[in-house]
Amino acid sequence: AQTVTQSQPEMSVQEAETVTLSCTYDTSESNYYLFWYKQPPSRQMILVIRQEAYKQQNATENRFSVNFQKAAKSFSLKISDSQLGDTAMYFCAFWSNSGYALNFGKGTSLLVTP
Amino acid sequence: SAVISQKPSRDICQRGTSLTIQCQVDSQVTMMFWYRQQPGQSLTLIATANQGSEATYESGFVIDKFPISRPNLTFSTLTVSNMSPEDSSIYLCSVDRGNYGYTFGSGTRLTVV
């Protein structure tokens, strides 16, 4: 079974600064997908970014980028130029064809302060 | 991407009663998923609902407590039965977009008193 570990329960960053959220995972699969989801106080789960394991290039979406280290099974999220609206819970998630559901980490609560 | 309408958005219920949560998707999907998010916790999969067959439940969840219906390819319901305060959680439905991850409903915040 795959496990997803987020070792930072809470983090704080000042507006306009950069923050990195950590995620590690354990799997024996060779082909899989990794995701970061954002859950603001509204409860809505919002897909931030995804990474396909067979792609070496790190995914980027505007201010969000990942550092995907396949050998180390590490998948960190970097948020640049943090904004107040980035305040939310961030969940790392794993998906592969051998299962059918997302497997979530415990989440990191990010607070962006003025 | 699929849009999911989830109802109700929140409810406060008496213990011993049942609540049915609905999810309507704006396109046909094969699989729909129901998650529970207990206060301050991550998402835990309750069950997977395929149209025309019985839902598949994860360990720790049973059909008598969380009956699910999936009458067609755009709709599903989850019932939380004989509720107790321990059932107070956010419940989310989700659809599988394959390799692109999941789209989620807006969630139902349930409080059992």
Side-chain angles (χ1 to χ4, degrees):
Chain A
Q2 295 87 6
T3 58
V4 179
T5 302
Q6 293 179 250
S7 59
Q8 305 154 313
E10 296 179 348
M11 293 195 72
S12 179
V13 64
Q14 282 196 315
E15 207 173 359
E17 297 295 308
T18 295
V19 64
T20 298
L21 309 183
S22 301
C23 174
T24 58
Y25 59 94
D26 186 23
T27 184
S28 58
E29 304 272 345
S30 59
N31 191 23
Y32 50 87
Y33 295 77
L34 296 160
F35 306 88
W36 280 98
Y37 279 87
K38 168 184 176 181
Q39 187 181 41
S42 67
R43 304 191 304 270
Q44 182 72 56
M45 291 289 285
I46 301 165
L47 179 63
V48 174
I49 200 166
R50 75 181 185 109
Q51 175 78 41
E52 295 150 70
Y54 63 86
K55 288 190 175 179
Q56 292 185 336
Q57 186 173 7
N58 289 325
T60 63
E61 287 288 342
N62 301 315
R63 298 183 294 108
F64 299 89
S65 62
V66 299
N67 183 6
F68 174 49
Q69 301 289 327
K70 190 171 183 179
K73 295 180 181 174
S74 171
F75 181 62
S76 60
L77 175 69
K78 185 171 83 171
I79 305 174
S80 304
D81 185 27
S82 297
Q83 301 176 358
L84 296 178
D86 295 333
T87 291
M89 282 291 292
Y90 286 81
F91 293 98
C92 179
F94 176 102
W95 184 91
S96 73
N97 283 325
S98 67
Y100 46 77
L102 282 174
N103 196 357
F104 287 92
K106 291 187 180 297
T108 296
S109 177
L110 176 67
L111 176 65
V112 180
T113 58
Chain B
S1 62
V3 174
I4 305 176
S5 173
Q6 183 173 344
K7 298 178 183 179
S9 60
R10 62 179 62 225
D11 208 340
I12 301 174
C13 300
Q14 296 290 324
R15 67 177 68 202
T17 63
S18 298
L19 175 72
T20 296
I21 302 166
Q22 301 180 4
C23 275
Q24 177 76 50
V25 189
D26 67 348
S27 61
Q28 294 184 339
V29 293
T30 304
M31 302 173 84
M32 291 183 72
F33 303 86
W34 288 96
Y35 286 84
R36 181 176 73 182
Q37 186 178 22
Q38 294 177 300
Q41 302 297 315
S42 187
L43 281 74
T44 300
L45 182 68
I46 298 171
T48 303
N50 287 329
Q51 192 269 334
S53 63
E54 293 247 339
T56 302
Y57 289 82
E58 298 298 303
S59 175
F61 298 97
V62 295
I63 187 171
D64 290 345
K65 177 66 175 177
F66 298 101
I68 287 172
S69 77
R70 184 80 202 276
N72 56 54
L73 291 172
T74 63
F75 187 79
S76 179
T77 67
L78 169 76
T79 299
V80 186
S81 303
N82 188 25
M83 288 184 285
S84 66
E86 292 70 34
D87 295 320
S88 296
S89 295
I90 296 170
Y91 293 85
L92 299 110
C93 62
S94 177
V95 299
D96 182 9
R97 293 166 58 207
N99 299 340
Y100 295 89
Y102 287 15
T103 297
F104 288 84
S106 54
T108 297
R109 183 183 294 277
L110 170 61
T111 302
V112 184
V113 297

